């Protein structure tokens, strides 16, 4: 089922890529939690890194972004990013796009994966004024780790579109 969700997430935007899509990039993200996530909510330092290694449109071929924040997190809560939030994506061309995210949706699927979709606007840099949609699929958390030592890191696929 996870493969079906990922296929839909990654293939559907590509199938809909039209001249209105300024940038369409796919890749992976890594999130680390300190202290690790357990079943008990607690203040956690969250560090993320997006590695967009396949840009299909837009004049760039790859990009990345990193950041950190602190929030109350656990294995039993949905992972809603804080808002407003600003993330700067650096592109292989030397340009960058600063995106001001203002809204996110979080869906936990039946198979335990979590899909986080964030919406915003490019506030500075490359494609300024474009609408941004960033979708990340977090894998199902290990229930044994959640009940004991915790989950320190997650890695999954992500997609960024500038429209």
């Amino acid at each position: 089922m996870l493969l079906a969700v990922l296929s839909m997430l990654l293939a559907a935007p590509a199938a809909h890529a039209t001249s209105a899509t300024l940038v369409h990039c796919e890749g992976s993200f890594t999130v680390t939690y300190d202290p690790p996530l357990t079943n008990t909510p607690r203040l956690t330092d969250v560090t993320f890194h997006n590695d967009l290694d396949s840009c299909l449109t837009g004049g760039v071929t790859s990009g990345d972004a990193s950041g950190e924040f602190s929030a109350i997190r656990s294995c039993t809560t949905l992972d809603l990013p804080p808002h407003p939030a600003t993330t700067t994506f650096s592109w292989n061309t030397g340009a960058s796009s600063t995106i001001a995210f203002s809204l996110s949706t979080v869906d936990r699927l039946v198979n335990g994966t979590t899909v986080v979709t964030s919406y915003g606007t490019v506030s500075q840099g490359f494609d300024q004024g474009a609408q941004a949609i960033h979708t990340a699929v977090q894998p199902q958390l290990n229930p044994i780790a959640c009940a004991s030592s915790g989950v320190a890191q997650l890695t999954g696929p992500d997609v960024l579109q500038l429209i």
Side-chain angles (χ1 to χ4, degrees):
M1 179 171 232
L2 178 57
L3 290 175
V5 170
L6 295 177
S7 295
M8 288 183 344
L9 249 175
L10 297 176
H16 291 91
T18 66
S19 59
T21 300
L22 302 173
V23 172
H24 177 95
C25 296
E26 300 174 4
S28 63
F29 73 93
T30 300
V31 180
T32 57
Y33 301 97
D34 185 23
L37 298 180
T38 64
N39 290 328
T40 304
R42 59 186 169 182
L43 185 62
T44 304
D45 292 328
V46 180
T47 304
F48 65 89
H49 180 78
N50 298 91
D51 183 17
L52 301 170
D53 58 4
S54 177
C55 297
L56 307 174
T57 60
V60 295
T61 58
S62 63
D64 66 358
S66 296
E68 59 184 87
F69 59 92
S70 295
I72 303 295
R73 293 286 188 254
S74 77
C75 288
T76 59
T77 58
L78 295 177
D79 198 11
L80 188 63
H83 289 299
T86 302
T87 302
T88 299
F89 286 83
S90 299
W91 304 109
N92 65 294
T93 60
S96 63
S97 299
T98 300
I99 301 173
F101 290 104
S102 57
L103 173 70
S104 289
T105 60
V106 179
D107 296 301
R108 180 142 309 148
L109 305 180
V110 175
N111 67 358
T113 59
T114 301
V115 179
V116 180
T117 305
S118 298
Y119 304 89
T121 303
V122 179
S123 58
Q124 281 186 319
F126 183 70
D127 283 340
Q128 183 173 349
Q131 298 301 303
I133 303 170
H134 180 253
T135 303
V137 180
Q138 300 175 351
Q140 179 179 15
L141 299 174
N142 180 327
I144 295 170
C146 288
S148 58
S149 62
V151 175
Q153 188 174 74
L154 293 174
T155 299
D158 68 346
V159 175
L160 175 68
Q161 289 187 91
L162 302 181
I163 301 170

